[in-house]
Amino acid sequence: MKIVVLKFGGSSVGSIKKIIKVAEIIKTYKKKKYNVIVVSSAMSGVTNELVKKSKGISENFSDEEYDVLVSSGEQVACSLIAGRLIHEGFKSRSWLAWQIPIVTKGLHKNSRISLINKKKILKYIGEGGIPIITGFQGIDNHQRITTVGRGGSDATAIMIAKFLNAEKCIIYTDVEGIYTTDPNKFKKAKKIKTISYEEMLEMASLGAKVMQPESIQDARLNRIDIEVKSSFSKKSGTLITKRSNIINNKMITGISSTHNDAKVSLIGVKDKPGVAASIFKPLSKKSINVDMVVQNVSPNGKETDLTFTIKKDDLNKTKKIILDNKDIKFRNLIFKKGVSKISIIGVGMVTTPGVTFRMFQALASQKINIQVISTSEIKISVLIDQRDTKKALTVLHKEFELDK
Ligand code: ASP
Ligand code: MG
């Protein structure tokens, strides 16, 4: 049975007019003889409104009730889509997560899907029906409603594709696909035709908001091909797939930039075994995510400088934790906002020497100073002054032939 999962994001179902358009898209797959399963998010803005309401009730709104509340937007969108298809003469109905069920594990507000019962859905599509399934929500083994994290209806779609053995999972959104860099920040950004899970994961973790990183991880683990495309355009989108399916290969696939990082430097830290651990342990306990780290070798073997980056929002918390930390001694503590992390990403760099050099040289040619460097197998990141972001994107985009 040829099954396709179509997922519509909030912007695709943002108004009645758009929902009518969505029904048109669904019909085209029906015409191509696909068995269609639809997953929808809430109409755009709705989930945020619901979150706001919960905060009005209490700053410590119960996690269980949060999930019941914020998952309600999906119910509305799904019934409207089903209602439109019924109006057009199709057999369709909405399915809430508990009716299937979509079973989740883990904490409220951030559960993961562990099991989807396929029986009822398979029977329904066997009878020619088009199920419209609520994204984002699940049910745990205490029969309580759960949600899978903001932006989580992608994860629902991907897991449905896995459990129902779908041929394709198509994510409909308001952009035409994944771009070489953020097209809002950089006009020359180009749509990427195919990208590997690993690269996409890096791009998403680095702030490409098109998909939630957890969902990409789900797709990678389950080898689900995903196409990301716009519901407002007929153009083909971006295919996210496994590395071995990609043939083109530029050395670099994409470039990302962040604007919400801050840099922390501890100058003259007493250098002894365990010092880094005693700095980072209390930070991790308070869920502060430390990103790039550099430690200088100490010229005299006694003192060292340690620099790392965190999210700007965590700055005050971090300051307090470090100043309260009795286990470390240092001469000076420096905080700097206004930094940006620029990363070049590409599986192609694994096999091509000289990428690092080309990146540094390109930045140097624009007199951009590099403050911190970190690398992984498929990524090189540098921290620079935020004011240089645009210049850096421009020169790197050109250097790695992404303009073409
Ligand atoms: N409606 C949910 C949210 O806004 C889930 C999603 O959009 O994927 O986070
Ligand atoms: Mg959304």
Side-chain angles (χ1 to χ4, degrees):
M1 190 157 32
K2 236 176 30 167
I3 297 179
V4 63
V5 175
L6 306 180
K7 183 259 164 175
F8 294 95
S11 49
S12 301
V13 294
S15 66
I16 296 301
K17 221 168 125 194
K18 288 178 179 167
I19 289 177
I20 292 172
K21 177 82 207 301
V22 159
E24 291 302 316
I25 297 176
I26 297 170
K27 277 158 58 183
T28 62
Y29 287 90
K30 256 324 226 193
K31 278 204 194 107
K32 285 186 231 156
K33 297 279 178 273
Y34 271 106
N35 288 297
V36 185
I37 300 176
V38 175
V39 174
S40 185
S41 173
M43 296 170 79
S44 55
V46 168
T47 314
N48 285 344
E49 276 304 314
L50 292 166
V51 172
K52 214 157 115 198
K53 286 190 173 118
S54 75
K55 291 203 172 124
I57 293 292
S58 164
E59 271 302 328
N60 294 313
F61 197 82
S62 136
D63 289 352
E64 286 86 351
E65 293 309 328
Y66 172 97
D67 282 347
V68 176
L69 177 71
V70 302
S71 62
S72 64
E74 273 66 17
Q75 175 167 343
V76 174
C78 287
S79 97
L80 290 172
I81 300 172
R84 182 64 192 183
L85 288 167
I86 295 166
H87 168 89
E88 306 257 349
F90 288 86
K91 179 180 164 91
S92 183
R93 66 158 279 196
S94 59
W95 294 83
L96 307 184
W98 66 267
Q99 295 172 317
I100 297 179
I102 297 175
V103 183
T104 64
K105 276 202 178 127
L107 299 177
H108 278 278
K109 296 173 95 165
N110 215 353
S111 296
R112 306 303 315 151
I113 295 171
S114 55
L115 187 80
I116 297 176
N117 185 340
K118 59 182 181 184
K119 252 185 31 218
K120 293 182 212 166
I121 297 297
L122 278 182
K123 179 164 181 283
Y124 188 69
I125 53 183
E127 296 159 2
I130 309 173
I132 318 293
I133 301 175
T134 50
F136 186 45
Q137 45 169 270
I139 183 168
D140 67 11
N141 54 14
H142 303 291
Q143 305 292 304
R144 297 293 316 249
I145 303 287
T146 55
T147 58
V148 295
R150 292 304 307 272
S153 40
D154 291 339
T156 307
I158 288 159
M159 295 310 269
I160 287 178
K162 168 197 149 105
F163 280 99
L164 283 105
N165 240 322
E167 186 171 286
K168 281 200 228 179
C169 178
I170 304 178
I171 307 270
Y172 277 97
T173 176
D174 54 353
V175 291
E176 275 180 26
I178 313 298
Y179 282 77
T180 50
T181 192
D182 186 345
N184 298 315
K185 287 190 199 155
F186 188 65
K187 292 265 152 15
K188 282 189 183 156
K190 291 271 175 319
K191 193 170 35 178
I192 301 169
K193 274 203 189 107
T194 7
I195 185 169
S196 68
Y197 300 116
E198 290 79 8
E199 289 165 326
M200 189 59 219
L201 207 50
E202 291 282 9
M203 302 267 283
S205 312
L206 290 166
K209 277 186 227 60
V210 181
M211 275 182 82
Q212 183 202 40
E214 290 87 340
S215 312
I216 301 159
Q217 183 68 342
D218 286 340
R220 186 177 79 85
L221 292 172
N222 298 300
R223 295 294 185 231
I224 308 286
D225 279 357
I226 304 171
E227 192 183 343
V228 177
K229 63 190 298 189
S230 163
S231 38
F232 312 114
S233 136
K234 287 223 157 58
K235 294 202 187 114
S236 62
T238 300
L239 178 71
I240 309 172
T241 185
K242 55 179 185 236
R243 274 190 211 190
S244 54
N245 285 347
I246 301 175
I247 24 174
N248 68 328
N249 259 334
K250 289 198 170 157
M251 182 155 49
I252 298 302
T253 306
I255 307 176
S256 71
S257 65
T258 63
H259 56 271
N260 53 356
D261 288 306
K263 186 173 79 166
V264 183
S265 299
L266 286 91
I267 310 295
V269 186
K270 267 232 155 67
D271 196 10
K272 54 175 188 207
V275 60
S278 33
I279 293 170
F280 293 127
K281 192 174 163 203
L283 293 175
S284 85
K285 267 200 176 149
K286 289 268 152 62
S287 301
I288 290 173
N289 211 347
V290 173
D291 182 19
M292 310 171 90
V293 183
V294 274
Q295 185 183 341
N296 290 337
V297 282
S298 42
N300 55 9
K302 288 184 191 133
E303 280 188 347
T304 179
D305 299 339
L306 189 93
T307 294
F308 58 91
T309 63
I310 50 170
K311 290 279 155 270
K312 209 157 59 185
D313 290 345
D314 289 333
L315 206 56
N316 288 335
K317 250 180 39 197
T318 303
K319 197 177 212 165
K320 183 159 186 324
I321 293 170
I322 293 176
L323 293 173
D324 288 350
N325 190 338
K326 299 264 163 354
D327 295 335
I328 46 168
K329 288 205 170 59
F330 51 85
R331 270 189 285 120
N332 204 356
L333 184 61
I334 303 171
F335 293 96
K336 193 171 181 306
K337 292 188 215 170
V339 288
S340 172
K341 182 169 76 163
I342 309 286
S343 309
I344 58 172
I345 297 145
V347 292
M349 72 171 74
V350 180
T351 49
T352 336
V355 183
T356 318
F357 161 73
R358 273 174 68 182
M359 179 183 199
F360 296 169
Q361 182 178 261
L363 293 171
S365 77
Q366 298 301 307
K367 304 206 166 30
I368 297 169
N369 187 36
I370 300 173
Q371 305 177 16
V372 185
I373 301 165
S374 76
T375 62
S376 79
E377 195 196 19
I378 62 163
K379 178 189 74 178
I380 305 168
S381 304
V382 294
L383 196 72
I384 61 170
D385 192 310
Q386 195 157 44
R387 283 169 301 195
D388 290 332
T389 307
K390 184 84 187 280
K391 250 201 295 184
L393 286 178
T394 310
V395 70
L396 293 172
H397 209 265
K398 179 141 185 267
E399 173 67 27
F400 293 106
E401 289 157 25
L402 297 174
D403 287 356
K404 292 177 189 157

